[in-house]
Amino acid sequence: MHRRKNGSHYPVEVHLQITTLQSQLVFVAIILDITERERSEFALRESEERFREMAHGLPILIWVVNPLGQQTFVNQTFLDYFQVNEEAVLGDRWQILLHPDEEQFPARFRDSLNRREPFHAEVQVRDGHGQWRWLESLGRPRFTSSGDFLGYVGTSIDITERRRIERERAEADQRKDEFLATLAHELRNPLAPIGSGLDIIAMAENADQVREARLTAQRQLHKLTRLIDDLLDVARISRGDIELDLQEVDLSLVVSDALETSGPIIKQHGHRLRVELPDPPIHVLGDLVRLEQVMSNLLVNAARYTPDGGELAIRAAVVDGLATVTVTDNGIGLASRDLDIIFEKFHQLHSAPATARIGLGIGLWLARTLVDKHQGTLRADSAGPGRGSCFTLTLPLLATPRTSQPGPAPLAGAPRSPRPPEIRQVLVVDDNIDAARSLAQVIELMGRSATIATSGTQALDKVASLKPGLVILDIGLPDMDGRDVARQIRARPDTEHMVLVALSGWGQANEIERSRESGLQAHFVKPMDFAVLRRLLEGDLPDQGGA
């Protein structure tokens, strides 16, 4: 320290030098005032300390490297993330954190350093729990005021979850594209024979040709309807609109109904089927229609994924206090990795033969979802590819079967009356003129008179003039909702004898409930089942609408 004339002290730097002056050795002292230098160094130390304090408090990983790529500083978050002390990762030792697949990363990092360019990369590392994680790292070049390169100050954030979401989104997009391609294929398959059948009917010279073409078209229409029903079920389940009609169900009846549905495809492939049902019967609390849907799906899958002439078996039993049904086959089998994947929506086995990969890949997903709603389980087992499969369905056992099952409840909000007389006059209300005309023609072929209206206003006018016994209403009319038409009809005098039913492309539970509340006595989903139509015309009004 040196003292000024005013008595204050200031820091100095003294340089001593020996020299010769007039043949005498003398010491020369050079005294430099270093006040500004010390002030700058103090400010720099304070700045670095503030940086360290700030860096240690941030929730992201912060690191500093010199121009050689050697780590000179990491923050506390970095140390906590990897659960190491600072000495373990300074210098070049940070490279031990890298995944073996990242052997090229250090070279890429140093190449960026040599070019003194900003650095950005995603890298896989092992965290402090021994798990492989993904980091997104950003490095920013540092320079002195004179332009000398100091290295990087960088940040890293964990993007493992983001990469998982991106991967799943890419897989979902791929499955969506595959699903749309499959959907187009599955729609074209039945449309081709339907179109050919119509051409045959137009050119046929005898009744047998017409009959065969008609039967073919009916079979293909049934396939289309089931396909659309499956798609609607996916939408309903996704929205939480699926409601179960729970009642006492005999599993033998479920199996019997499923065999009726799956029988044609089992016969087509020439499979031998063994059925084992218990005595006494097994009773569960369930929805008969939905359980039959599950069971027939399992049987159809077994038939498709088993080479022709294979062995299938379905067994029902009580196991560990649970109602259990197994469907087994000696077909293509499953790899262990596929045992859960096959229950994912829109998933299909690419290892399966092309002849088996039909459908939309939603059947098993629907089956498991419906079983879950019954508080049951559905699992797949296989000894491996080529060694067959076993699907096991378990449901809670109904320990005390009821002596009688309740019948269906009347529709809420719908007027009930004694069985109406046979209907002679029908009004078909639909803005799709082709759909309206074809349905009217079917009604006339059944010996009734049919009139068409293409809007709600026309429907109300024709109701007033014709007084039809049955009105079949589309819901989505151009000028008003079909349910509003029903309400206005019900508000008129002398219309209590009319039967009002909905025929719509919408079949969700809430849509059916809204129809009931508007005074419609049933709600059917397009296309109309002609057997149900015939019963309607004969005055047999169902207690509940349905799809």
Side-chain angles (χ1 to χ4, degrees):
M1 298 292 290
H2 203 272
R3 188 171 63 183
R4 296 186 178 92
K5 292 180 179 180
N6 61 9
S8 63
H9 292 82
Y10 62 96
V12 296
E13 184 176 85
V14 180
H15 296 268
L16 294 176
Q17 185 175 356
I18 300 176
T19 187
T20 303
L21 182 64
Q22 296 180 354
S23 302
Q24 298 289 324
L25 291 175
V26 296
F27 287 96
V28 178
I30 301 173
I31 301 174
L32 301 175
D33 185 339
I34 60 171
T35 302
E36 288 301 321
R37 192 177 76 186
E38 284 205 347
R39 185 178 294 121
S40 298
E41 290 175 349
F42 178 76
L44 179 60
R45 287 194 300 272
E46 278 199 329
S47 175
E48 290 179 347
E49 187 62 31
R50 284 196 300 271
F51 167 76
R52 289 174 179 270
E53 291 178 358
M54 178 187 68
H56 285 311
L58 291 175
I60 60 176
L61 283 65
I62 297 179
W63 43 271
V64 177
V65 298
N66 64 21
L68 299 177
Q70 298 168 330
Q71 206 151 244
T72 59
F73 168 79
V74 293
N75 71 341
Q76 189 61 45
T77 305
F78 188 107
L79 299 176
D80 293 342
Y81 185 85
F82 291 105
Q83 295 187 11
V84 294
N85 56 40
E86 194 172 36
E87 289 74 20
V89 290
L90 292 183
D92 291 323
R93 290 188 290 275
W94 59 269
Q95 298 178 27
I96 65 174
L97 304 172
L98 299 176
H99 190 280
D101 292 344
E102 300 288 357
E103 58 182 10
Q104 300 300 321
F105 180 83
R108 298 197 336 259
F109 184 67
R110 288 196 178 91
D111 182 60
S112 182
L113 271 171
N114 293 335
R115 295 197 306 270
R116 302 181 180 184
E117 297 175 349
F119 178 75
H120 178 208
E122 295 180 0
V123 60
Q124 196 172 8
V125 299
R126 188 195 299 272
D127 70 4
H129 300 287
Q131 297 179 339
W132 294 114
R133 311 283 294 178
W134 282 95
L135 294 179
E136 181 179 25
S137 296
L138 299 168
R140 186 176 183 82
R142 299 170 59 221
F143 298 92
T144 66
S145 58
S146 60
D148 295 329
F149 180 57
L150 297 176
Y152 282 146
V153 58
T155 61
S156 297
I157 59 173
D158 191 310
I159 59 168
T160 306
E161 183 65 13
R162 189 183 80 189
R163 284 181 68 98
R164 182 189 66 80
I165 293 172
E166 289 173 350
R167 184 179 67 254
E168 290 180 353
R169 183 178 298 147
E171 291 173 353
D173 285 343
Q174 181 180 353
R175 286 199 300 270
K176 177 198 68 176
D177 293 341
E178 292 174 353
F179 164 74
L180 291 175
T182 304
L183 176 60
H185 175 268
E186 291 300 300
L187 288 174
R188 289 191 186 102
N189 273 346
L191 286 176
I194 289 175
S196 298
L198 292 174
D199 291 338
I200 291 171
I201 291 172
M203 299 182 294
E205 297 181 356
N206 61 65
D208 289 340
Q209 291 176 317
V210 172
R211 179 178 176 277
E212 183 60 33
R214 178 176 57 81
L215 291 175
T216 298
Q218 286 178 337
R219 287 194 298 270
Q220 300 305 317
L221 179 61
H222 179 68
K223 290 181 180 179
L224 272 177
T225 302
R226 287 186 67 92
L227 184 67
I228 293 170
D229 285 344
D230 281 349
L231 290 172
L232 288 173
D233 278 344
V234 171
R236 291 168 186 147
I237 289 173
S238 299
R239 289 194 303 269
D241 287 345
I242 284 285
E243 295 180 5
L244 300 179
D245 179 18
L246 297 176
Q247 53 186 293
E248 180 183 337
V249 173
D250 182 348
L251 276 186
S252 296
L253 180 60
V254 175
V255 172
S256 175
D257 289 349
L259 289 172
E260 183 177 344
T261 301
S262 58
I265 191 170
I266 294 173
K267 183 178 180 181
Q268 174 187 336
H269 288 280
H271 297 316
R272 293 175 294 280
L273 175 66
R274 184 168 65 258
V275 180
E276 296 180 14
L277 299 177
D279 188 17
I282 300 173
H283 293 266
V284 298
L285 187 65
D287 185 317
L288 176 61
V289 174
R290 292 303 185 180
L291 290 178
E292 183 275 330
Q293 183 179 0
V294 171
M295 206 68 66
S296 62
N297 179 284
L298 298 180
L299 286 166
V300 167
N301 267 19
R304 286 176 176 170
Y305 290 94
T306 300
D308 291 354
E311 300 279 349
L312 310 183
I314 181 167
R315 301 178 182 89
V318 176
V319 180
D320 296 331
L322 294 172
T324 304
V325 182
T326 59
V327 177
T328 59
D329 62 68
N330 63 345
I332 66 170
L334 293 164
S336 58
R337 65 178 179 274
D338 292 324
L339 293 178
D340 282 322
I341 296 177
I342 57 172
F343 291 103
E344 292 181 3
K345 195 190 306 182
F346 308 134
H347 178 82
Q348 290 193 339
L349 287 177
H350 293 287
S351 59
T355 53
R357 291 200 306 270
I358 58 178
L360 301 177
I362 58 180
L364 287 177
W365 176 83
L366 275 174
R368 176 174 273 187
T369 303
L370 292 172
V371 171
D372 287 344
K373 286 184 171 292
H374 282 82
Q375 308 303 312
T377 63
L378 178 61
R379 76 171 192 272
D381 296 287
S382 176
R387 304 181 66 181
S389 304
C390 176
F391 287 81
T392 303
L393 163 67
T394 63
L395 295 169
L397 190 64
L398 190 61
T400 309
R402 303 164 186 164
T403 55
S404 62
Q405 297 184 11
L411 296 183
R416 304 303 300 153
S417 59
R419 178 183 174 115
E422 187 173 335
I423 292 169
R424 306 306 305 174
Q425 175 70 46
V426 182
L427 176 62
V428 178
V429 186
D430 196 327
D431 60 325
N432 184 327
I433 189 63
D434 287 338
R437 283 175 177 169
S438 60
L439 182 56
Q441 288 173 358
V442 170
I443 292 170
E444 290 174 348
L445 287 171
M446 292 181 177
R448 272 63 170 185
S449 175
T451 305
I452 294 172
T454 57
S455 68
T457 303
Q458 285 184 18
L460 292 172
D461 291 342
K462 292 185 183 297
V463 164
S465 60
L466 297 174
K467 298 291 190 298
L470 171 63
V471 180
I472 302 176
L473 276 166
D474 184 21
I475 297 299
L477 297 172
D479 55 344
M480 66 178 72
D481 189 284
R483 286 176 282 257
D484 292 333
V485 177
R487 292 188 188 95
Q488 293 190 40
I489 292 174
R490 287 296 179 210
R492 295 184 176 186
D494 302 327
T495 60
E496 66 277 1
H497 70 284
M498 292 184 188
V499 177
L500 307 183
V501 300
L503 180 61
S504 172
W506 300 100
Q508 296 91 330
N510 63 324
E511 294 287 340
I512 294 173
E513 184 59 31
R514 289 177 61 197
S515 295
R516 294 169 177 172
E517 293 170 352
S518 69
L520 288 157
Q521 289 151 280
H523 183 115
F524 301 102
V525 176
K526 295 179 179 179
M528 187 72 173
D529 185 324
F530 292 158
V532 173
L533 176 60
R534 187 179 297 279
R535 291 201 302 270
L536 279 174
L537 296 175
E538 292 172 353
D540 185 7
L541 180 66
D543 285 328
Q544 286 190 325

